[in-house]
Amino acid sequence: MWMTPKRIRMEVDEALVFRPEWTQRYLVVEPPEGDGALCLVCRRLVASTRERDVRRHYEAEHEFYERFVGDEERAALVERLRQGDMSLAAVLTPEERATRAGLGLCRFLALKGRGWGEGDFVHQCMEVLLREVLPDHVGVLEGIDLSPEITRQRILSIDSNLRSQLFSRARDFKAYSLALDDQAFVAYENYLLVFIRGVGRDLEVQEDLLTIINLTHHFSVGALMSAILEALQTAGLSLQRMVGLTTTHTLRMIGENSGLVSYMREKAVSPNCWNVIHYSGFLHLELLSSYDVDINQIINTISEWVVMIKTRGVRRPEFQPLLTESESEHGERVNGRCLNNWLRRGKTLKLIFSLRKEIEAFLVSVGATTVHFTDKQWLCDFGFLVDIMDYLREISEELQISKVFAAAAFERICTFEAKLDSLQRHMEEVNLTDFPAFSIVVDELKQQFKEDQKIFDPDRYQMVIARLQKDFERHFKDLRFIKKDLELFANPFNFKPEYAPISVRVELTKLQANTDLWNEYRVKDLGQFYAGLSGEAYPIIKGVAYKVASLFDSNQICDKAFSYLTRNQHTLSQPLTDEHLQALFRVATTEMDPRWDDLVRERNDS
């Protein structure tokens, strides 16, 4: 499930095989082609052979069969299902089928960020389709209610169902970490998204939205702290099990004396384990130092260009790739802050840089100023910004890779810091090999200003790179503090016991002397190895495994929430209660499936 000892990222299918005991436990069999697990009840293929995925399918779709408890009962049930006898299944009434269909459609509307009122439109579309294609089946729509009020209620019911599943699993977490994102909301009233990553007894990782906190109502750090503690208490979690915090780099989060992180680290004091590990900048990495890198307000100028293109240049073919990408990111209209954040992504800046000649011609045609295209300093800053933001984009995309341990994520951070060192040396030597856009600008300016011996000042850009280096060093210093713990966890058989903490040396020596464990380590991925490691024989090493596995190793779930918001900002900016907003974001970010049978029963009982 996580990083393997030989590769940075685990291949998910490797060493994950169908287990015979799943047949009675989850009513699945190994398919003839040998990939995944075939459900005996609904005959659907669960593509993954991870136990948690098989279990989730069973719990979400076939909880009815939990009434068969004894081994003999389960064996007889499996045999009847193998023979195709479905008489034991809970037969849904037409009303229940209509309720389930309505719930599924409401969830789909939420995933796509559609408004409550669009359910009626979907209902009308289906009615038109059935009248033309299957006129005898139009009646099935009569029991499906997609009115705005019913859609709201159903989304809240789905949220409650998913939240109950999360809380049920959270009570078994051996360790967990929180991710606090206060930069996701760019369109309207600000919120704090609180995500949780927990590890269960079998080292299964669960990442999900814990809560959303309205920053307007919880302005002070003390109020925020109380809201987070309340959410943890509701989930049945104590601060003593919290291992890590990953946050944005805002003052609200990391202020030295008044930041939320310092308050939480004081509260979370866990005996016989690390202090809470904190690293910021993991979330929205493209914003980490973009304001420091943008030394000439390049983004603000380009933002004005894009707004002008969207309003007066939409029919120009040369701008269609830019407009298409803009609309795919955040729709036809976008506010200034969201636009600026979008532009700070390196891919977008590269596209605009490639269109700079066309943009200049467009500005001339509409009578706008083109003074920046004759400003040597501004053009150099533009080229430099494009290159640096592209490097930040690359590391940000690497940190979106999930199902790896924090050790692998930290290795990527260290690699990027080495890249910054190389960029610093090259800039000092006036070697622009690693600055392609900057190099193009300099070559063009040399042709334009042939008598000018000095096109740019390297010291100006060395200072920017140095600031970026200090930012990375500051934001990830806690991961350096536990570097040896991460290395020990990732390579327990190669780690020298004399370099290990005193408390773990005896266990580590015994582990490395165990031939059977060494053979398991070679053939299993790291997560499976630690899941099978005896907690009684190796309690300290097992405890370290729980802690490392609980640290956030990617920004994927936060990026998923941010993308959901930017794509649907106009729908989400409609009047919504905090409860409804939280429901939408939970549905959009979770990997869990609702337990439909429970939801259908709740609807029928109400």
Side-chain angles (χ1 to χ4, degrees):
M1 189 173 182
W2 303 286
M3 184 182 68
T4 66
K6 297 179 181 178
R7 287 175 288 276
I8 291 298
R9 186 183 182 190
M10 187 197 79
E11 298 296 333
V12 176
D13 293 333
E14 182 182 20
L16 298 178
V17 295
F18 183 89
R19 299 180 190 173
E21 61 266 26
W22 292 352
T23 298
Q24 280 198 23
R25 189 182 304 166
Y26 304 123
L27 306 181
V28 294
V29 294
E30 188 173 8
E33 55 273 17
D35 294 327
L38 181 65
C39 180
L40 288 171
V41 182
C42 62
R43 300 296 171 178
R44 284 167 54 188
L45 182 68
V46 182
S48 172
T49 322
R50 294 183 299 184
E51 183 173 8
R52 70 170 184 173
D53 294 325
V54 177
R55 183 181 66 242
R56 285 176 180 176
H57 170 78
Y58 174 75
E59 291 176 347
E61 302 289 342
H62 310 302
E63 193 181 21
F64 168 81
Y65 292 98
E66 279 296 285
R67 66 186 63 189
F68 299 92
V69 180
D71 291 343
E72 292 184 2
E73 278 187 301
R74 299 292 288 187
L77 172 63
V78 168
E79 187 59 32
R80 294 183 66 174
L81 290 174
R82 283 182 186 273
Q83 295 174 6
D85 183 358
M86 306 300 293
S87 60
L88 294 173
V91 179
L92 296 179
T93 64
E95 292 78 11
E96 289 173 332
R97 290 187 178 277
T99 299
R100 177 156 178 162
L103 287 163
L105 286 170
C106 290
R107 182 195 184 204
F108 183 74
L109 288 170
L111 284 170
K112 297 301 179 182
R114 313 311 298 178
W116 310 127
E118 295 193 31
D120 283 336
F121 175 70
V122 172
H123 192 281
Q124 293 168 14
C125 290
M126 291 192 296
E127 186 175 357
V128 170
L129 178 66
L130 288 178
R131 287 191 186 281
E132 295 296 330
V133 181
L134 297 169
D136 295 338
H137 294 75
V138 175
V140 302
L141 298 177
E142 293 179 359
I144 302 177
D145 189 349
L146 295 177
S147 62
E149 185 56 36
I150 293 296
T151 301
R152 279 195 200 92
Q153 293 175 5
R154 285 177 172 170
I155 293 297
L156 290 178
S157 297
I158 292 173
D159 172 64
S160 177
N161 184 277
L162 293 171
R163 192 170 64 249
S164 296
Q165 292 185 57
L166 172 63
F167 291 173
S168 176
R169 297 176 186 182
R171 291 183 177 90
D172 296 326
F173 286 167
K174 294 295 184 180
Y176 71 91
S177 294
L178 297 179
L180 309 178
D181 185 359
D182 62 343
Q183 287 188 311
F185 283 79
V186 294
Y188 58 108
E189 199 170 17
N190 208 2
Y191 287 81
L192 173 68
L193 300 181
V194 182
F195 298 97
I196 188 168
R197 175 185 170 99
V199 180
R201 186 179 300 275
D202 295 329
L203 268 86
E204 287 189 353
V205 171
Q206 174 82 30
E207 281 190 16
D208 232 297
L209 177 70
L210 179 63
T211 188
I212 290 181
I213 301 173
N214 190 322
L215 294 176
T216 303
H217 303 153
H218 302 82
F219 184 76
S220 69
V221 172
L224 273 180
M225 183 73 181
S226 297
I228 294 173
L229 290 177
E230 182 181 349
L232 290 173
Q233 184 177 7
T234 304
L237 291 166
S238 67
L239 280 177
Q240 279 64 44
R241 280 187 277 169
M242 185 169 71
V243 173
L245 276 173
T246 180
T247 70
T248 57
H249 52 281
T250 62
L251 287 176
R252 182 190 288 116
M253 294 291 112
I254 63 173
E256 187 172 349
N257 297 319
S258 59
L260 181 60
V261 170
S262 60
Y263 276 78
M264 294 197 70
R265 294 179 86 164
E266 289 177 6
K267 287 279 187 181
V269 180
S270 304
N272 302 320
C273 65
W274 303 328
N275 293 324
V276 172
I277 301 303
H278 169 248
Y279 42 104
S280 58
F282 222 55
L283 314 181
H284 307 293
L285 189 62
E286 71 278 1
L287 302 179
L288 175 63
S289 291
S290 61
Y291 295 98
D292 290 334
V293 175
D294 187 6
I295 50 181
N296 208 341
Q297 300 297 305
I298 306 292
I299 296 297
N300 289 339
T301 301
I302 294 177
S303 178
E304 295 174 2
W305 294 349
V306 173
V307 170
M308 201 175 300
I309 290 172
K310 289 173 74 70
T311 55
R312 303 177 68 178
V314 290
R315 296 187 178 181
R316 294 181 177 245
E318 62 269 28
F319 297 141
Q320 293 312 304
L322 177 64
L323 295 173
T324 300
E325 183 177 333
S326 172
E327 290 178 8
S328 68
E329 285 287 334
H330 43 236
E332 295 182 0
R333 296 172 296 169
V334 62
N335 69 13
R337 183 182 170 193
C338 185
L339 178 59
N340 283 0
N341 287 354
W342 173 63
L343 290 173
R344 286 189 167 86
R345 299 184 176 186
K347 182 180 178 181
T348 309
L349 276 180
K350 283 184 70 174
L351 178 57
I352 291 174
F353 181 79
S354 67
L355 293 171
R356 63 194 185 284
K357 300 296 183 183
E358 291 81 356
I359 292 175
E360 182 180 9
F362 165 72
L363 294 175
V364 170
S365 68
V366 298
T369 179
T370 58
V371 64
H372 298 97
F373 291 95
T374 58
D375 186 335
K376 184 170 59 176
Q377 184 70 74
W378 192 93
L379 289 171
C380 287
D381 291 345
F382 184 20
F384 175 78
L385 179 65
V386 169
D387 291 328
I388 291 296
M389 294 308 297
D390 194 45
Y391 285 126
L392 283 172
R393 174 192 61 80
E394 289 177 359
I395 181 62
S396 181
E397 289 179 355
E398 288 179 3
L399 292 176
Q400 290 175 18
I401 299 174
S402 61
K403 300 181 179 65
V404 297
F405 282 128
F410 181 58
E411 185 175 333
R412 295 189 178 104
I413 294 293
C414 292
T415 301
F416 183 75
E417 289 178 326
K419 180 65 177 179
L420 289 178
D421 292 337
S422 175
L423 293 177
Q424 185 72 282
R425 289 194 304 271
H426 286 179
M427 184 58 70
E428 184 179 1
E429 299 165 358
V430 196
N431 179 358
L432 301 184
T433 304
D434 291 333
F435 300 91
F438 194 12
S439 179
I440 291 173
V441 170
V442 170
D443 290 342
E444 290 176 353
L445 291 174
K446 285 181 178 178
Q447 294 294 323
Q448 188 176 353
F449 301 96
K450 294 182 179 180
E451 297 180 358
D452 196 339
Q453 298 297 319
K454 189 174 183 180
I455 299 297
F456 69 96
D457 180 10
D459 293 342
R460 178 182 178 87
Y461 304 108
Q462 284 182 257
M463 291 174 59
V464 175
I465 298 173
R467 283 202 296 267
L468 197 56
Q469 289 173 309
K470 288 181 179 179
D471 283 339
F472 268 78
E473 182 178 351
R474 181 173 73 255
H475 292 305
F476 297 104
K477 64 179 181 180
D478 273 15
L479 289 179
R480 289 183 183 81
F481 177 71
I482 61 166
K483 183 177 180 181
K484 287 190 176 182
D485 300 275
L486 297 175
E487 292 173 350
L488 185 151
F489 169 79
N491 297 286
F493 285 91
N494 296 328
F495 197 92
K496 294 182 179 181
E498 57 266 27
Y499 294 144
I502 296 175
S503 60
V504 79
R505 287 179 187 175
V506 174
E507 285 188 15
L508 185 61
T509 302
K510 183 170 68 171
L511 176 75
Q512 293 178 348
N514 191 315
T515 306
D516 293 337
L517 289 177
W518 164 244
N519 290 331
E520 287 185 26
Y521 174 77
R522 291 170 58 195
V523 299
K524 292 182 177 180
D525 68 73
L526 205 53
Q528 288 179 321
F529 170 75
Y530 280 111
L533 190 66
S534 170
E536 295 180 357
Y538 304 96
I540 299 177
I541 293 179
K542 188 86 169 185
V544 171
Y546 285 133
K547 295 181 181 74
V548 172
S550 70
L551 293 174
F552 274 87
D553 56 11
S554 79
N555 58 15
Q556 187 183 62
I557 190 169
C558 298
D559 191 69
K560 188 187 295 186
F562 181 71
S563 297
Y564 180 74
L565 173 65
T566 53
R567 285 196 312 269
N568 306 299
Q569 58 176 305
H570 297 296
T571 299
L572 296 175
S573 62
Q574 303 301 317
L576 291 172
T577 65
D578 293 351
E579 188 180 22
H580 280 111
L581 198 63
Q582 177 173 281
L584 290 174
F585 274 89
R586 190 183 307 282
V587 170
T589 57
T590 187
E591 292 185 357
M592 295 187 294
D593 289 321
R595 292 181 175 173
W596 299 111
D597 290 345
D598 291 349
L599 288 167
V600 170
R601 282 197 295 270
E602 289 173 8
R603 293 289 302 171
N604 291 336
D605 293 342
S606 60

